[in-house]
Amino acid sequence: MKIRLTFLLMLAAFFTAQAAQVDTVLVKSTAMGKAIKTVVIQPENSKSKNLPTLYLLHGYSGNYANWVDKVPKIKELVDKLEMIVVCPDGGYGSWYWDIPNDKNYQYETFVSKELVDFVESNYTVAKDRSKRGITGLSMGGHGALYLAIKHQDTFAAAGSTAGGVDIRPFPNNWEMAKRLGPYHEQQESWNSHTVMEMTHLIKPNSLSLFIDCGTEDFFYKVNLKLHEKLTYLNIPHRFLTMPGAHNWDYWSKSILYQMMFFHDFFYQPAKK
């Protein structure tokens, strides 16, 4: 995929000194009976506008502060692209699922309901689905697509960078068996909790989708298969591959493309 000179010049213009505000707040989760730390990044003078919101999820073993600590330039992107970015703590290995009979793992309810309600009650943001997007990396990339597909009434756009979009080839990894049970015993549960088997739930023209993954990433093959399946099913989406592995060097680059995608979606001209 060729990068146009105009795009490079646009990116160069982004990284000038700005005054994005970064807050760490506690968001009450009634479902889990605890408060969840969350980073909220607001553009300069954001109180004067009903801005769109991008929910940005971390990966396995990560936390709420990963994105702003590892990719500080995200603050400049927030300023220039005029959106509020919300980074919740998703637990060490929750995969953003609700697990029956386990009150410690109700992260689907937390992110898709409780967190959205908190943000829209406490910040100057637009309160309609056309101004809500969700994306993330690795476990959070899978989580973002999983939540958006299950809650198309809440989110209008979704992304994934280096997402584990099919969990089944990795039955012994990342605590998933602790959440869902062993794959050989609980195949139906694993199928219902993986994005690859949820594509039939995507309503026509409901979600705007952007998926990217590095070509040296261990999740590259499952992302390619998801792209092929979406293409076969005539589900519109954007798919980007670049050189890179499963690390912050790649993610710090891919977030530029992710946030540009959401900016274009949020600020697209109104349809006549």
Side-chain angles (χ1 to χ4, degrees), residues 234-268:
N234 291 313
I235 297 174
H237 64 286
R238 297 185 191 180
F239 180 62
L240 171 66
T241 63
M242 300 180 289
H246 201 79
N247 55 37
W248 282 103
D249 182 61
Y250 177 84
W251 302 325
S252 66
K253 296 179 178 69
S254 68
I255 192 62
L256 304 175
Y257 296 91
Q258 287 277 334
M259 290 184 67
M260 284 291 292
F261 165 79
F262 284 100
H263 172 269
D264 289 350
F265 175 80
F266 291 143
Y267 291 101
Q268 61 186 314

Side-chain angles (χ1 to χ4, degrees), residues 190-230:
W190 281 67
N191 288 342
S192 66
H193 283 81
T194 189
V195 167
M196 189 68 75
E197 293 300 322
M198 298 171 66
T199 54
H200 65 286
L201 299 175
I202 300 175
K203 302 172 186 176
N205 303 312
S206 175
L207 284 174
S208 195
L209 299 171
F210 177 40
I211 300 160
D212 76 78
C213 192
T215 53
E216 287 73 55
D217 196 306
F218 50 77
F219 281 145
Y220 174 70
K221 289 184 179 179
V222 293
N223 276 270
L224 182 60
K225 287 183 178 179
L226 179 61
H227 161 60
E228 292 170 348
K229 186 175 184 182
L230 292 172

Side-chain angles (χ1 to χ4, degrees), residues 13-23 40-47 51 68 72-84:
F14 283 161
F15 302 115
T16 56
Q18 299 291 332
Q21 180 178 336
V22 179
D23 296 321
V40 180
I41 311 171
Q42 301 177 73
E44 187 177 17
N45 301 320
S46 63
K47 292 182 179 179
L51 292 174
V68 73
K73 64 189 176 187
I74 200 170
K75 293 177 284 187
E76 284 76 21
L77 286 169
V78 163
D79 267 316
K80 292 296 185 181
L81 298 177
E82 296 188 291
M83 66 180 74
I84 287 179

Side-chain angles (χ1 to χ4, degrees), residues 28-82:
K28 181 180 178 181
S29 172
T30 300
M32 290 188 282
K34 60 184 177 182
I36 308 295
K37 285 187 176 180
T38 299
V39 162
V40 180
I41 311 171
Q42 301 177 73
E44 187 177 17
N45 301 320
S46 63
K47 292 182 179 179
S48 62
K49 303 175 182 178
N50 290 321
L51 292 174
T53 307
L54 176 61
Y55 294 86
L56 180 59
L57 308 182
H58 66 76
Y60 174 79
S61 78
N63 62 51
Y64 62 96
N66 277 171
W67 275 107
V68 73
D69 287 347
K70 301 286 189 179
V71 192
K73 64 189 176 187
I74 200 170
K75 293 177 284 187
E76 284 76 21
L77 286 169
V78 163
D79 267 316
K80 292 296 185 181
L81 298 177
E82 296 188 291

